[in-house]
Amino acid sequence: NAGVTQTPKFRVLKTGQSMTLLCAQDMNHEYMYWYRQDPGMGLRLIHYSVGEGTTAKGEVPDGYNVSRLKKQNFLLGLESAAPSQTSVYFCASSYPGIAGLKNIQYFGAGTRLSVL
Amino acid sequence: ILNVEQSPQSLHVQEGDSTNFTCSFPSSNFYALHWYRWETAKSPEALFVMTLNGDEKKKGRISATLNTKEGYSYLYIKGSQPEDSATYLCAYPKTSYDKVIFGPGTSLSVIP
């Protein structure tokens, strides 16, 4: 009963390093999202995908790239990490269709990233 | 209102007290309103999905109401318990098929 799984759970990077965060879901959801959570800011959408092979920018996309090569996976990349990207990153997935339940988000456990 | 707003930002109540907080959202082109509960060191989990004006949903001691015409929803907790301590988020799906906008949350602490 995995749901949404994020790896890694913690990571420390030096400024300028790159890394990829992996999100995997086993619920056959069409939509997947990457958020960042900062104190006092709530959840802010970085990028999202409404299906395999598609991605779109959210609220705060700068400095991040994403890919959705397989329906179950959504990758978030930081090409050149900056201290401003220190945050907790959450992946979520959702399904369209069922009336009243559209876009209910199912979240992963989060990835805590520190950029020094 | 262009975004989703929540008030108060934080709340401290004694065990046994009842409490409520507010989510405000754009009243035009309403689609749905979600409430999530987010416990410390965990991830947000959906509490309620509200779609119709006048909706009232209940789960145990927690209930929520919806007014789509004026653009607000209330979350009520009756007889608060320490395990109710969490951040409560509301979220507004901006259109029918893509992203949702989350409010900043109300952080509830229930003091034993």
Side-chain angles (χ1 to χ4, degrees), chain A residues 66-93:
Chain A
V66 288
S67 64
R68 183 106 181 262
L69 298 179
K70 293 183 180 179
K71 184 177 183 178
Q72 63 268 33
N73 296 337
F74 195 30
L75 277 63
L76 178 72
L78 286 73
E79 289 187 349
S80 179
S84 60
Q85 294 177 304
T86 294
S87 188
V88 182
Y89 292 86
F90 285 94
C91 175
S93 68

Side-chain angles (χ1 to χ4, degrees), chain A residues 104-105, chain B residues 4-7 20-25 32-38 44-50 57 59 62-66 72-76 87-92 102 105-106:
Chain A
I104 280 287
Q105 313 264 299
Chain B
V4 180
E5 299 171 358
Q6 291 186 248
S7 62
N20 66 86
F21 24 95
T22 307
C23 172
S24 302
F25 53 86
L33 193 283
H34 304 160
W35 280 101
Y36 292 83
R37 172 192 166 90
W38 192 0
E45 293 186 353
L47 270 176
F48 301 117
V49 177
M50 312 190 76
K57 298 286 177 83
K59 187 180 285 188
I62 304 177
S63 60
T65 60
L66 178 68
Y72 66 82
S73 175
Y74 292 139
L75 190 80
Y76 300 91
T87 296
Y88 292 84
L89 299 172
C90 65
Y92 179 78
F102 282 87
T106 292

Side-chain angles (χ1 to χ4, degrees), chain A residues 94-114:
Chain A
S94 70
Y95 52 87
I98 301 173
L101 295 179
K102 293 178 183 178
N103 293 87
I104 280 287
Q105 313 264 299
Y106 293 81
F107 285 87
T111 296
R112 188 173 294 275
L113 175 66
S114 293

Side-chain angles (χ1 to χ4, degrees), chain A residues 42-63:
Chain A
L43 287 168
R44 292 185 293 168
L45 183 64
I46 304 170
H47 286 280
Y48 67 103
S49 167
V50 298
E52 182 179 318
T54 72
T55 62
K57 293 180 181 180
E59 218 181 327
V60 288
D62 293 342

